[in-house]
Amino acid sequence: MVDVLLGLQWGDEGKGKVVDYFAPNYDVIARFQGGPNAGHTLYVNGNKVVLHQIPSGIFHEGIINLIGNGVVLDPVTLKKECDKVAAFGVDVKKNLFIAERTNVIVPTHRALDKASELSKGDDKIGSTLKGIGPAYMDKTGRNSIRVGDLLRSDFQQIYQKLRAKHIQMLGIYNFEEDIAVWEQEFFEAVEFLKTLNIVNGEYFINRLINDGKKVLAEGAQGSMLDVDFGTFPFVTSSNTISAGVCTGLGIAPRHIGEVIGVTKAYCTRVGGGPFPTELFDESGAELRRIGHEFGATTGRPRRCGWIDLVALNYACMINGVTQLVMTKSDVLDDFSSLQVCTAYMVNGKETKDMPYQLVGADIVPVYQEFKGWDYAVANCKISEELPSSFQDYLQFIRAYLQVDIRYVSNGPGREQILYHPATAVV
Ligand code: IMP
Ligand code: MG
């Protein structure tokens, strides 16, 4: 069986920690989309580690970590990250596998990303500039280099052809960047990548599934950044939703079991684009300060706001979420009152549906107020110890979404996560 774990908001829901927590229940952790735009933060023996390309199961000996074909892979980031995990005694040659159909990010993709963002002016997406968009464009445009191509004897020719095409495109943008240093790093990293386990991902994973192994597909970014269903065009370039697991790993839908959706107890977004519950006041600044809401990949301050049940409900529907994990609940400890967005007023009309047009539309969130708990939830060792106003908050969200909140993370530590028994729907 394949379970899926993904973010339901705009990314940064704390998936890395949750995957790391669930990892011992699985034999395989597989990334199925996204690239080095992701930043999954883990704590290993008290040390903070941020992973961008390697699946979050890497610190568990005996767990297979697979980078699936749906990912875009930057060899330079991968090499750096392999060095980083090696310092913790991880032998990537043993438990990291890379699908040969994975598309490769080349230096000119990063330059094109920059050029494209610059050309958008005020409408810029706030891309992480890691080359994600251009790499996926080359995939669907049928131009890209895949990991399997790195092993071909004519790799240099394929690379030069693609590079020439990109240089032409950069010329149209009137954009110049000295990519010589990037290229040197790239070729060194490619040589390193070639020494890793490059496999046929689809046979690799299906054989493991047939052998009865348990797989956890680890999502990156969040559902509201999905290229089809997110707040287009302010999205990333991949399918971040559960459907992406099938195409991103090469497995059939019938193998999918649990779909575990991760949401923060509030909401954040980094980069541009609509964010109906965004707070521009002191409360927003407090969420950012207490929640350390700064991008793990870019260091940018994250925009903060109240939890948005309209967006969450939509994400639960699109993904078929079977259980929820709520993270960063401790960040709300000091708030005397909390708001929960239950509907939107769209051009003066109330709706609980996600509108097609969020950009440029007049959207005002409808809130329901909840009492804060004035208690350090980090002190709770079992979910029964959670204060009653927090239980009310959980229960309301659970009833609205019609999905159980099975785990509550109450601090950044590896052990700070509480199992929450299923509750009756009211
Ligand atoms: P790109 O995928 O780097 O091109 O970025 C597109 C949009 O998605 C930007 O608004 C980014 O800030 C956002 N984004 C991309 N990856 C992540 C992530 O892992 N967490 C949060 N936001 C992300
Ligand atoms: Mg992140």
Side-chain angles (χ1 to χ4, degrees):
M1 266 314 218
V2 181
D3 292 340
V4 182
L5 187 140
L6 36 73
L8 300 178
Q9 299 167 309
W10 281 279
D12 307 314
E13 297 89 354
K15 297 176 291 291
K17 168 185 162 162
V18 183
V19 172
D20 183 49
Y21 175 80
F22 283 132
N25 305 334
Y26 293 92
D27 304 296
V28 183
I29 309 289
R31 276 276 307 266
F32 59 94
Q33 48 72 228
N37 48 351
H40 294 173
T41 306
L42 308 170
Y43 286 86
V44 187
N45 310 327
N47 300 293
K48 178 175 166 175
V49 189
V50 182
L51 297 175
H52 304 283
Q53 292 272 196
I54 299 180
S56 300
I58 198 72
F59 294 105
H60 297 267
E61 224 187 311
I63 291 184
I64 291 172
N65 288 268
L66 174 66
I67 296 178
N69 59 277
V71 170
V72 284
L73 182 62
D74 177 2
V76 177
T77 307
L78 180 72
K79 180 167 183 288
K80 282 188 191 144
E81 218 162 278
C82 286
D83 292 344
K84 186 154 68 174
V85 301
F88 288 88
V90 172
D91 183 359
V92 288
K93 305 232 159 117
K94 269 204 194 124
N95 67 348
L96 180 66
F97 296 80
I98 302 164
E100 59 193 354
R101 292 183 196 275
T102 307
N103 289 264
V104 175
I105 300 177
V106 297
T108 36
H109 282 144
R110 273 158 66 189
L112 280 167
D113 214 356
K114 270 193 181 176
S116 161
E117 275 285 77
L118 264 176
S119 74
K120 290 191 162 122
D122 284 349
D123 295 333
K124 73 173 183 176
I125 292 168
S127 164
T128 60
L129 305 179
K130 303 290 179 190
I132 308 298
Y136 277 114
M137 280 166 73
D138 271 341
K139 173 181 175 174
T140 50
R142 297 159 296 180
N143 294 309
S144 62
I145 296 172
R146 308 199 284 182
V147 167
D149 298 329
L150 305 177
L151 307 170
R152 282 170 56 165
S153 57
D154 59 349
F155 165 61
Q156 272 300 335
Q157 281 125 283
I158 316 172
Y159 174 80
Q160 290 303 334
K161 205 171 139 192
L162 185 63
R163 182 188 195 277
K165 187 180 173 118
H166 289 167
I167 297 292
Q168 238 182 359
M169 289 163 72
L170 288 165
I172 297 169
Y173 279 119
N174 250 327
F175 186 85
E176 266 177 56
E177 173 97 50
D178 182 11
I179 59 162
V181 181
W182 291 2
E183 271 191 318
Q184 195 190 334
E185 269 186 336
F186 174 77
F187 284 116
E188 282 168 22
V190 163
E191 286 313 307
F192 170 76
L193 207 170
K194 282 157 69 176
T195 68
L196 300 178
N197 301 301
I198 297 172
V199 294
N200 176 302
E202 57 277 24
Y203 280 112
F204 182 79
I205 197 137
N206 279 289
R207 284 179 179 143
L208 286 164
I209 294 168
N210 291 338
D211 286 348
K213 303 287 187 216
K214 290 190 71 186
V215 179
L216 181 66
E218 174 186 17
Q221 291 82 48
S223 300
M224 299 313 292
L225 287 171
D226 181 272
V227 65
D228 281 276
F229 299 104
T231 48
F232 193 87
F234 296 91
V235 293
T236 190
S237 301
S238 61
N239 281 117
T240 58
I241 59 169
S242 57
V245 172
C246 294
T247 53
L249 292 175
I251 56 158
R254 68 186 171 87
H255 290 307
I256 307 271
E258 294 291 320
V259 179
I260 307 162
V262 186
T263 171
K264 272 180 190 162
Y266 50 98
C267 201
T268 65
R269 167 160 211 169
V270 63
F275 179 4
T277 63
E278 181 169 14
L279 289 166
F280 300 95
D281 60 2
E282 195 45 40
S283 298
E286 279 294 278
L287 286 171
R288 186 174 311 112
R289 185 182 64 78
I290 303 169
H292 307 289
E293 296 295 355
F294 296 89
T297 299
T298 55
R300 293 177 291 178
R302 293 181 186 140
R303 301 153 64 190
C304 298
W306 300 121
I307 198 163
D308 179 347
L309 297 187
V310 176
L312 270 180
N313 197 39
Y314 179 75
C316 285
M317 173 181 81
I318 298 286
N319 288 300
V321 172
T322 60
Q323 52 177 291
L324 291 162
V325 178
M326 180 181 278
T327 57
K328 301 194 88 159
S329 58
D330 53 308
V331 174
L332 298 181
D333 282 351
D334 293 335
F335 286 82
S336 56
S337 76
L338 309 166
Q339 308 291 334
V340 173
C341 168
T342 56
Y344 295 159
M345 293 298 286
V346 182
N347 301 325
K349 225 176 129 205
E350 188 171 318
T351 178
K352 290 185 174 172
D353 289 356
M354 208 60 202
Y356 167 72
Q357 183 142 15
L358 276 167
V359 183
D362 171 30
I363 295 177
V364 183
V366 177
Y367 287 115
Q368 180 155 333
E369 188 167 334
F370 284 79
K371 214 168 100 213
W373 38 89
D374 188 24
Y375 183 81
V377 293
N379 293 333
C380 301
K381 296 279 178 266
I382 51 170
S383 71
E384 286 78 4
E385 289 173 9
L386 291 168
S388 65
S389 8
F390 185 63
Q391 300 277 9
D392 292 345
Y393 186 70
L394 286 178
Q395 182 54 29
F396 180 80
I397 294 167
R398 190 253 167 276
Y400 187 105
L401 300 174
Q402 297 284 301
V403 186
D404 268 321
I405 301 170
R406 280 293 167 75
Y407 294 88
V408 174
S409 168
N410 60 335
R414 226 177 180 177
E415 68 300 334
Q416 287 178 299
I417 187 161
L418 311 173
Y419 175 70
H420 195 259
T423 46
V425 188
V426 234

